Amino acid sequence: MNTAVQPLDVTAIRRDFPLLSRVLNGKPVIYLDSAVSGQMPLPVIERMTKYEREEHTNVHRGVSTLSQEATDHFEAAREKVRSFIGAGSIKEIIWTRGTTEAINLVAQTFGRMHVQAGDEILLSAMEHHANIVPWQMLAQEKGATLKVIPITDDGELILESLDELITERTKLLAVTHVSNVLGTVNPVKEIIARAHAKGVPVLVDGAQAVPHLKVDVQDLDADFYVFSGHKLSGPTGIGALYGKLAHLEAMPPWHGGGNMIRSVTWEKTTYMAAPGKFEAGTPPIAAAIGLGAALDYLTNLGLDRIAAQEHDLLVYATERLERIPGLRILGKARDKASVISFVVEGIHPHDMGSLLDGEGVVIRAGHHCAQPLMARYNVPATTRASFAYFNTREDIDVLVSAVEKAIELFK
Ligand code: 7TS
């Protein structure tokens, strides 16, 4: 454990998560699937319930006190996101449904503006499909090509390849901050500096990073930074796109409709400034307010304390799992978040997943929406355990016993 910070009171924290007291398949639930979706603590659920019970209406509509109050809460949540990721202005924070929608928004606006036939978009070998498919669709539309930063067997980006891969045709680099499969924390600050030195803007997929490490988009100098609320102890259906204001101002709108306009006539529509320009229609208000409450919750716990707790779990789980004969961990980066993917000789990850499920251990088995990465490792799928600040070493002991039991069954 990192002794520089006061350890979290995990026993008290767990009381905020009623799901952790459930029994699944006759066994106490062990939730090791926070990379799929984090759990929401009670203060988040209660804040959303209060909104729905006492404050529900629409935002940015009219003069009613109720609507103004909802707008204030909604905009206060935007300010919480700004502060959480260190953006300079709330004008740079756009609500989206999540990471996927945020990347599609950038691809369909910024991407369409800048990418032409023969151009290149640079990605990495460890991207989630959300940071592949929107670029592939754009590349197909424009006659552009995708290029890929390769990785080592340990799951680290081969940065030496950057000089060769970034050419005068590269119009954008899109890279994940933390791999959802390997757990690798990529040196995005260095990557951004190197891309910028060649005039290439960078989008960072922060979906798996923001729950674990302090992000400062200005320090990183990211052009775009995207994430989802539901991996951040918040609800589904909400996420955010950070974009540098100069980019957002130059970008055309994406969805058209109410809320994003200044004036509409049959001849012509003029648009709001960012962020309004990118927020057509009624947003998920309770979800945005809930995400704000989640950020308060995490900030109160302390991201450094969360990181210390999760790092302890990562080290402990790695040591214990590595001792199991026939088990191979994919992803051994020096800088790693609390995600462990593994395969066991002779047992398909789906079978392993089902057997663990029978023991109450919730993990994900599959390709994790990263099929090109599975191909890189020549595996169809992996079993993945991911840890959050409410997990304990005892949770990992149960995981290890359940894996050992599964291996016994398959002998
Ligand atoms: N990018 C990364 C790195 C992710 O891990 C995910 C979701 C996404 C983008 C997409 O986020 P969404 O909220 O828009 O769906 N990752 C996972 C996962 O690892 N298992 O289930 C979802």
Side-chain angles (χ1 to χ4, degrees), residues 35-36 98-101 103 128 130-131 176 178-180 205 207-208 228 230-231 364 368-369 384:
V36 157
T99 307
T100 303
E101 188 175 74
I103 297 173
H128 185 281
N131 204 23
T176 195
V178 170
S179 161
N180 67 320
D205 175 351
Q208 298 288 350
S228 302
H230 69 100
K231 298 193 199 281
R364 181 171 174 192
H368 314 292
C369 303
R384 181 189 66 183

Side-chain angles (χ1 to χ4, degrees), residues 308-325:
Q309 165 73 5
E310 292 175 348
H311 185 71
D312 178 69
L313 296 172
L314 175 72
V315 171
Y316 181 68
T318 305
E319 276 169 15
R320 293 225 47 200
L321 287 168
E322 268 180 338
R323 268 188 255 139
I324 299 177

